Amino acid sequence: MKQGWEAVIGMEIHTQLATETKIFCSCAVETGGEPNSNTCPTCLGLPGALPVLNKRVVELGARAALALGLEIQETSIFSRKNYFYPDLPKGYQISQYDKPFSANGTLKIMTAERDEHGRPVDWRPMEIHIQRMHLEEDAGKNVHEGLPDTDKYSYVDLNRAGTPLGEIVTSPDFRTSWQAYDYVNHVRRALQWVGASDADMEKGNLRCEANVSVRKVGETEFRNKVELKNLNSVRFMQKAIEYEIERQIEAHESGEGVNQETRLWDEKNDRTRVMRSKEDAHDYRYFPEPDLQPLVVTSEFIETVRAQMPEMPDAMQERFMATYGMSLADATQLTSDKDTAEYFETTARISANPKLAANWMLGELTRELNNSGKAISESLMTAEDLAELIATVESGKISNSQAKEVMAEMFATGKPAPAIIAEKGFEQVSDTSAIEAIIDEVIANNAGQVEAYRGGKEALFGFFVGQVMKASQGKANPKVVNDILREKL
Ligand code: ZN
Ligand code: MN
């Protein structure tokens, strides 16, 4: 950022709460269905249809709120947010306004600036103030598509209408695009972790908007802000914010100034462009939804939800460091998502060797996952299988380098370790009588070297080990070979 300037960024996230059914009716929440198949009079907005609040939305909303350090309000009110758009047949969205479901959150995240290769430098904690998370319904979708043998046409698909959302709004606490990036990733992981939302940006069930303005360092007032939309990935969001900061600083310095407007990220041209200006800013005429009771949440309910919450990543990291003597970097990587953390805990428990479980996961398994572009949940090698492999290496049955080869095969095929070890003939021979026989033969065939060794040429010991290993086709347990050889020589 240009010297003397600072950016002021606030974030808004809409996240789809992972319910089976919609927020005010019993239609299924499903993507990819036949257009308008998951609809009923309520979510179609037909006159006279009445909304009924889905209790599961409140439960998942509560999990999300607690995961983000928000205070759940005893009473919250649903309000009508009035605006016209074809994908909103009622002419209003049921949302929450002055009495949101949860408010006043403090969230500790880790954030880092990035070097020129985009690698994080120096992670530090940062506190974010989350003003609120309210509950609301999603709108439908306007679809513009062309079908074979037809003209291009557009239609409204209301399958998404009435899908439950949590809208999470922060104070303008961020000063750099990377802080916003780290925040969104933190929120995403927290929501997935507690099962409140799939929080998948590519699928559109987590959408974020950034409010960006800049000012001279030392100024306390805010200058005009721009709302950035259409941010389809965290990376695009970061780039859009970065672009916008530079654009605004230039616009202020040239005297042109910054318009209060909504801009879209244009990923083809790597720039933001105007979507709409302040003139059509909406006045939503919020008023309480007369068809819904105030939502009252008892402290008993909150405590029940709290008791069902899983251990959160921060606590888990600390436990890994304290219990297993793990570094912060390793503990962070093993808690990067819930699947990874569970995989590690299972492997560590079954193998009874957390240290090796961590080493194999951070080394070989991470490499395989990166090479294949797979998520750990898609790994054909289960945690149980990895634990078995670790136990096999530890027992000395196969060597470490053999184990790496076995693991690659396990990852590729999903076969368990014993099957692959047998196929590859990797089983080490630890049976002393079999090894003894080979050693006797080697000694008998190399009388000259035996004499030289016994005469003091100790360096020849390696030669004998090599001969025995060769004769056993690499299967003899090297430790057993060494022991017996020393004895016999
Ligand atoms: Zn419905
Ligand atoms: Mn909203």
Side-chain angles (χ1 to χ4, degrees):
M1 201 172 316
K2 194 159 184 201
Q3 195 76 33
W5 288 90
E6 73 173 358
V8 181
I9 305 157
M11 296 299 302
E12 275 177 41
I13 294 177
H14 282 88
T15 193
Q16 184 182 324
L17 298 171
T19 55
E20 306 268 312
T21 56
K22 295 183 179 180
I23 183 169
F24 299 124
C25 62
S26 54
C27 291
V29 171
E30 253 177 5
T31 45
E34 187 70 10
N36 297 302
S37 56
N38 296 316
T39 55
C40 71
T42 301
C43 57
L44 287 173
L46 301 187
L50 292 174
V52 177
L53 180 61
N54 178 352
K55 190 177 177 198
R56 187 72 183 142
V57 171
V58 183
E59 287 164 1
L60 294 182
R63 287 175 90 88
L66 294 177
L68 299 175
L70 282 149
E71 292 167 8
I72 297 169
Q73 306 299 293
E74 197 187 307
T75 303
S76 62
I77 306 278
F78 285 99
S79 290
R80 291 188 180 183
K81 180 180 181 180
N82 299 280
Y83 66 95
F84 172 78
Y85 206 63
D87 64 12
L88 188 73
K90 293 197 299 294
Y92 59 85
Q93 175 194 28
I94 303 179
S95 180
Q96 295 184 312
Y97 185 52
D98 50 353
K99 288 213 153 115
F101 176 70
S102 59
N104 194 28
T106 304
L107 184 67
K108 194 190 100 184
I109 65 165
M110 294 300 286
T111 186
E113 282 308 300
R114 304 311 201 261
D115 67 13
E116 66 270 30
H117 307 290
R119 285 184 302 236
V121 184
D122 192 17
W123 289 98
R124 287 157 198 257
M126 178 182 184
E127 255 184 24
I128 305 300
H129 180 241
I130 303 183
Q131 294 175 347
R132 57 193 277 141
M133 184 193 72
H134 66 251
L135 306 175
E136 61 183 28
E137 59 178 344
D138 206 347
K141 258 183 194 167
N142 294 327
V143 185
H144 309 283
E145 66 181 20
L147 292 178
D149 306 319
T150 63
D151 285 334
K152 205 171 190 171
Y153 70 104
S154 296
Y155 61 91
V156 179
D157 178 6
L158 294 170
N159 280 349
R160 198 181 67 179
T163 298
L165 300 176
E167 181 179 327
I168 306 155
V169 184
T170 72
S171 293
D173 287 348
F174 307 96
R175 293 292 170 269
T176 70
S177 60
W178 288 112
Q179 289 171 355
Y181 177 92
D182 292 327
Y183 163 76
V184 174
N185 280 332
H186 183 109
V187 169
R188 215 164 49 155
R189 181 180 65 172
L191 294 171
Q192 289 167 346
W193 198 277
V194 299
S197 173
D198 296 340
D200 185 335
M201 283 183 89
E202 274 167 40
K203 292 196 181 120
N205 52 31
L206 185 135
R207 309 192 283 268
C208 55
E209 291 159 32
N211 290 302
V212 181
S213 65
V214 298
R215 64 184 174 191
K216 284 273 178 64
V217 174
E219 279 178 13
T220 49
E221 299 290 299
F222 296 129
R223 299 195 182 196
N224 276 354
K225 70 176 181 209
V226 160
E227 196 182 323
L228 294 177
K229 283 185 189 270
N230 197 28
L231 310 170
N232 298 326
S233 75
V234 216
R235 187 72 177 116
F236 286 153
M237 179 199 78
Q238 185 274 328
K239 281 169 134 185
I241 294 174
E242 201 58 39
Y243 176 90
E244 193 54 27
I245 291 170
E246 298 310 318
R247 187 191 72 82
Q248 290 186 18
I249 291 174
E250 247 172 65
H252 283 302
E253 287 196 328
S254 71
E256 180 194 328
V258 169
N259 292 327
Q260 195 126 325
E261 61 196 8
T262 301
R263 296 177 74 92
L264 299 177
W265 177 244
D266 176 349
E267 63 180 77
K268 279 197 197 84
N269 299 304
D270 263 4
R271 59 187 300 271
T272 64
R273 59 182 167 79
V274 184
M275 176 190 172
R276 59 172 178 246
S277 63
K278 193 187 172 187
E279 287 83 75
D280 33 44
H282 298 285
D283 174 6
Y284 294 116
R285 297 187 299 111
Y286 280 97
F287 63 85
E289 165 62 66
D291 292 337
L292 284 165
Q293 299 276 356
L295 169 57
V296 178
V297 175
T298 62
S299 54
E300 206 184 351
F301 173 84
I302 297 170
E303 286 323 307
T304 308
V305 174
R306 200 190 299 277
Q308 293 163 350
M309 295 276 282
E311 182 185 23
M312 294 301 286
D314 289 355
M316 200 179 255
Q317 271 164 33
E318 271 165 38
R319 180 166 58 82
F320 286 1
M321 289 162 70
T323 326
Y324 307 136
M326 217 179 264
S327 70
L328 175 63
D330 289 354
T332 303
Q333 206 184 324
L334 289 174
T335 52
S336 57
D337 59 66
K338 202 161 183 222
D339 291 334
T340 303
E342 276 170 2
Y343 197 107
F344 167 70
E345 296 244 81
T346 307
T347 311
R349 193 185 65 243
I350 297 178
S351 68
N353 195 327
K355 182 98 193 89
L356 280 184
N359 288 349
W360 279 89
M361 282 187 67
L362 295 167
E364 295 303 303
L365 179 56
T366 302
R367 205 163 52 84
E368 294 289 351
L369 291 171
N370 289 344
N371 289 345
S372 62
K374 279 186 181 170
I376 200 157
S377 58
E378 298 166 317
S379 167
L380 295 177
M381 179 181 71
T382 64
E384 288 78 5
D385 290 342
L386 177 58
E388 188 177 22
L389 176 67
I390 290 171
T392 311
V393 184
E394 262 207 298
S395 73
K397 257 185 159 182
I398 58 172
S399 71
N400 217 44
S401 60
Q402 285 173 329
K404 283 184 184 172
E405 221 178 291
V406 172
M407 208 216 82
E409 195 75 14
M410 289 168 75
F411 186 84
T413 62
K415 285 189 202 162
I420 294 165
I421 292 169
E423 265 170 38
K424 291 191 179 280
F426 276 168
E427 205 100 30
Q428 284 188 5
V429 179
S430 299
D431 171 4
T432 43
S433 62
I435 293 174
E436 242 173 283
I438 296 172
I439 289 177
D440 288 341
E441 208 182 310
V442 168
I443 291 178
N445 292 342
N446 297 281
Q449 277 88 344
V450 172
E451 209 175 306
Y453 177 81
R454 286 180 178 153
K457 226 179 155 192
E458 283 186 23
L460 274 170
F461 190 74
F463 162 79
F464 292 109
V465 174
Q467 291 297 308
V468 175
M469 292 308 288
K470 200 170 146 196
S472 75
Q473 290 168 318
K475 289 183 195 170
N477 181 325
K479 193 180 170 305
V480 178
V481 172
N482 269 272
D483 290 349
I484 302 178
L485 251 180
R486 265 190 214 289
E487 216 173 90
K488 299 227 170 205
L489 284 170

